[in-house]
mmCIF file of all heavy atoms in Angstrom:
data_model
loop_
_atom_site.group_PDB
_atom_site.id
_atom_site.type_symbol
_atom_site.label_atom_id
_atom_site.label_comp_id
_atom_site.label_asym_id
_atom_site.label_seq_id
_atom_site.Cartn_x
_atom_site.Cartn_y
_atom_site.Cartn_z
ATOM 1 N N MET A 1 9.497 -5.026 13.051
ATOM 2 C CA MET A 1 9.059 -3.844 12.414
ATOM 3 C C MET A 1 7.682 -4.052 11.719
ATOM 4 O O MET A 1 7.550 -5.094 10.990
ATOM 5 C CB MET A 1 10.027 -3.398 11.371
ATOM 6 C CG MET A 1 9.601 -2.049 10.636
ATOM 7 S SD MET A 1 10.805 -1.503 9.474
ATOM 8 C CE MET A 1 12.107 -0.891 10.517
ATOM 9 N N PRO A 2 6.687 -3.186 12.030
ATOM 10 C CA PRO A 2 5.375 -3.407 11.372
ATOM 11 C C PRO A 2 5.485 -3.249 9.832
ATOM 12 O O PRO A 2 6.249 -2.574 9.250
ATOM 13 C CB PRO A 2 4.575 -2.293 11.916
ATOM 14 C CG PRO A 2 5.243 -1.716 12.988
ATOM 15 C CD PRO A 2 6.641 -2.108 12.849
ATOM 16 N N LEU A 3 4.570 -4.086 9.107
ATOM 17 C CA LEU A 3 4.567 -3.951 7.720
ATOM 18 C C LEU A 3 3.261 -3.381 7.234
ATOM 19 O O LEU A 3 2.161 -3.851 7.629
ATOM 20 C CB LEU A 3 4.620 -5.373 7.057
ATOM 21 C CG LEU A 3 4.501 -5.479 5.633
ATOM 22 C CD1 LEU A 3 5.567 -4.682 4.891
ATOM 23 C CD2 LEU A 3 4.488 -6.933 5.188
ATOM 24 N N ILE A 4 3.288 -2.233 6.485
ATOM 25 C CA ILE A 4 2.018 -1.667 5.949
ATOM 26 C C ILE A 4 2.038 -1.726 4.494
ATOM 27 O O ILE A 4 3.001 -1.535 3.760
ATOM 28 C CB ILE A 4 2.097 -0.039 6.309
ATOM 29 C CG1 ILE A 4 2.203 0.020 7.925
ATOM 30 C CG2 ILE A 4 0.929 0.622 5.767
ATOM 31 C CD1 ILE A 4 2.393 1.579 8.283
ATOM 32 N N LEU A 5 0.927 -2.084 4.014
ATOM 33 C CA LEU A 5 0.682 -2.229 2.518
ATOM 34 C C LEU A 5 -0.205 -1.031 2.131
ATOM 35 O O LEU A 5 -1.296 -0.842 2.710
ATOM 36 C CB LEU A 5 0.070 -3.510 2.188
ATOM 37 C CG LEU A 5 -0.500 -3.649 0.760
ATOM 38 C CD1 LEU A 5 0.725 -3.543 -0.296
ATOM 39 C CD2 LEU A 5 -1.323 -4.879 0.573
ATOM 40 N N ALA A 6 0.179 -0.285 1.153
ATOM 41 C CA ALA A 6 -0.597 0.798 0.610
ATOM 42 C C ALA A 6 -0.847 0.640 -0.874
ATOM 43 O O ALA A 6 0.153 0.409 -1.625
ATOM 44 C CB ALA A 6 0.060 2.153 0.830
ATOM 45 N N LEU A 17 2.674 9.118 2.023
ATOM 46 C CA LEU A 17 2.481 7.850 2.894
ATOM 47 C C LEU A 17 3.975 7.308 3.186
ATOM 48 O O LEU A 17 4.170 6.849 4.297
ATOM 49 C CB LEU A 17 1.664 6.683 2.104
ATOM 50 C CG LEU A 17 0.291 6.905 1.986
ATOM 51 C CD1 LEU A 17 -0.395 5.948 1.060
ATOM 52 C CD2 LEU A 17 -0.411 6.781 3.313
ATOM 53 N N LEU A 20 5.537 9.377 5.835
ATOM 54 C CA LEU A 20 4.811 9.178 7.137
ATOM 55 C C LEU A 20 5.410 7.785 7.732
ATOM 56 O O LEU A 20 5.567 7.673 8.900
ATOM 57 C CB LEU A 20 3.323 9.054 6.955
ATOM 58 C CG LEU A 20 2.492 8.776 8.217
ATOM 59 C CD1 LEU A 20 2.634 9.988 9.188
ATOM 60 C CD2 LEU A 20 1.069 8.510 7.862
ATOM 61 N N ALA A 21 5.503 6.729 6.926
ATOM 62 C CA ALA A 21 5.916 5.513 7.454
ATOM 63 C C ALA A 21 7.294 5.440 7.909
ATOM 64 O O ALA A 21 7.737 4.779 8.786
ATOM 65 C CB ALA A 21 5.777 4.398 6.336
ATOM 66 N N LEU A 25 6.291 6.614 12.180
ATOM 67 C CA LEU A 25 5.858 5.271 12.511
ATOM 68 C C LEU A 25 6.973 4.193 12.605
ATOM 69 O O LEU A 25 6.799 3.157 13.147
ATOM 70 C CB LEU A 25 4.839 4.822 11.368
ATOM 71 C CG LEU A 25 3.587 5.655 11.193
ATOM 72 C CD1 LEU A 25 2.714 5.104 10.107
ATOM 73 C CD2 LEU A 25 2.839 5.600 12.504
ATOM 74 N N ALA A 27 8.011 2.135 10.257
ATOM 75 C CA ALA A 27 7.399 0.925 9.751
ATOM 76 C C ALA A 27 7.959 0.624 8.268
ATOM 77 O O ALA A 27 8.384 1.605 7.623
ATOM 78 C CB ALA A 27 5.782 0.978 9.651
ATOM 79 N N GLU A 28 7.923 -0.624 7.880
ATOM 80 C CA GLU A 28 8.199 -0.871 6.480
ATOM 81 C C GLU A 28 6.965 -0.688 5.703
ATOM 82 O O GLU A 28 5.915 -1.082 6.018
ATOM 83 C CB GLU A 28 8.663 -2.309 6.332
ATOM 84 C CG GLU A 28 8.944 -2.727 4.944
ATOM 85 C CD GLU A 28 9.354 -4.245 4.790
ATOM 86 O OE1 GLU A 28 9.481 -4.930 5.871
ATOM 87 O OE2 GLU A 28 9.574 -4.543 3.721
ATOM 88 N N LEU A 29 7.055 0.032 4.539
ATOM 89 C CA LEU A 29 5.879 0.318 3.695
ATOM 90 C C LEU A 29 6.112 -0.280 2.332
ATOM 91 O O LEU A 29 7.196 -0.180 1.703
ATOM 92 C CB LEU A 29 5.740 1.803 3.633
ATOM 93 C CG LEU A 29 4.652 2.368 2.780
ATOM 94 C CD1 LEU A 29 3.246 2.031 3.368
ATOM 95 C CD2 LEU A 29 4.787 3.885 2.574
ATOM 96 N N VAL A 30 5.105 -1.018 1.849
ATOM 97 C CA VAL A 30 5.034 -1.544 0.499
ATOM 98 C C VAL A 30 4.039 -0.651 -0.163
ATOM 99 O O VAL A 30 2.817 -0.687 0.231
ATOM 100 C CB VAL A 30 4.786 -2.968 0.444
ATOM 101 C CG1 VAL A 30 4.594 -3.385 -1.059
ATOM 102 C CG2 VAL A 30 5.889 -3.759 1.072
ATOM 103 N N VAL A 31 4.318 0.180 -1.210
ATOM 104 C CA VAL A 31 3.390 0.855 -1.888
ATOM 105 C C VAL A 31 3.285 0.400 -3.381
ATOM 106 O O VAL A 31 4.199 0.140 -4.061
ATOM 107 C CB VAL A 31 3.850 2.350 -1.979
ATOM 108 C CG1 VAL A 31 2.796 3.261 -2.798
ATOM 109 C CG2 VAL A 31 3.952 2.928 -0.608
ATOM 110 N N LEU A 42 4.421 -8.194 -1.909
ATOM 111 C CA LEU A 42 4.481 -8.840 -0.629
ATOM 112 C C LEU A 42 4.983 -10.230 -0.541
ATOM 113 O O LEU A 42 5.608 -10.674 0.394
ATOM 114 C CB LEU A 42 2.961 -8.895 -0.004
ATOM 115 C CG LEU A 42 2.361 -7.596 0.355
ATOM 116 C CD1 LEU A 42 0.857 -7.753 0.847
ATOM 117 C CD2 LEU A 42 3.211 -7.018 1.555
ATOM 118 N N PRO A 47 0.730 -8.256 5.709
ATOM 119 C CA PRO A 47 0.840 -6.905 6.280
ATOM 120 C C PRO A 47 0.004 -6.840 7.596
ATOM 121 O O PRO A 47 -0.903 -7.347 7.849
ATOM 122 C CB PRO A 47 0.330 -5.976 5.234
ATOM 123 C CG PRO A 47 -0.589 -6.841 4.422
ATOM 124 C CD PRO A 47 -0.152 -8.221 4.539
ATOM 125 N N ASP A 48 0.592 -5.809 8.443
ATOM 126 C CA ASP A 48 -0.182 -5.542 9.668
ATOM 127 C C ASP A 48 -1.314 -4.575 9.454
ATOM 128 O O ASP A 48 -2.316 -4.481 10.244
ATOM 129 C CB ASP A 48 0.839 -4.863 10.683
ATOM 130 C CG ASP A 48 1.895 -5.932 11.073
ATOM 131 O OD1 ASP A 48 1.628 -6.924 11.672
ATOM 132 O OD2 ASP A 48 3.127 -5.634 10.806
ATOM 133 N N LEU A 49 -1.160 -3.721 8.278
ATOM 134 C CA LEU A 49 -2.156 -2.738 8.026
ATOM 135 C C LEU A 49 -2.202 -2.581 6.500
ATOM 136 O O LEU A 49 -1.229 -2.647 5.872
ATOM 137 C CB LEU A 49 -1.749 -1.401 8.605
ATOM 138 C CG LEU A 49 -2.657 -0.116 8.314
ATOM 139 C CD1 LEU A 49 -4.002 -0.322 8.896
ATOM 140 C CD2 LEU A 49 -2.042 1.035 8.796
ATOM 141 N N ILE A 50 -3.450 -2.529 5.962
ATOM 142 C CA ILE A 50 -3.638 -2.288 4.491
ATOM 143 C C ILE A 50 -4.347 -0.933 4.337
ATOM 144 O O ILE A 50 -5.289 -0.777 4.902
ATOM 145 C CB ILE A 50 -4.468 -3.430 3.920
ATOM 146 C CG1 ILE A 50 -3.699 -4.671 4.064
ATOM 147 C CG2 ILE A 50 -4.681 -3.141 2.331
ATOM 148 C CD1 ILE A 50 -4.547 -5.929 3.529
ATOM 149 N N LEU A 51 -3.729 -0.097 3.642
ATOM 150 C CA LEU A 51 -4.304 1.192 3.359
ATOM 151 C C LEU A 51 -4.715 1.271 1.713
ATOM 152 O O LEU A 51 -3.905 0.761 0.873
ATOM 153 C CB LEU A 51 -3.410 2.362 3.521
ATOM 154 C CG LEU A 51 -2.754 2.445 4.847
ATOM 155 C CD1 LEU A 51 -1.653 3.491 4.977
ATOM 156 C CD2 LEU A 51 -3.841 2.855 5.893
#
Side-chain angles (χ1 to χ4, degrees):
M1 178 179 290
L3 174 62
I4 300 172
L5 170 63
L17 288 170
L20 179 66
L25 296 181
E28 180 183 355
L29 178 67
V30 173
V31 179
L42 283 177
D48 296 297
L49 177 66
I50 299 174
L51 303 173

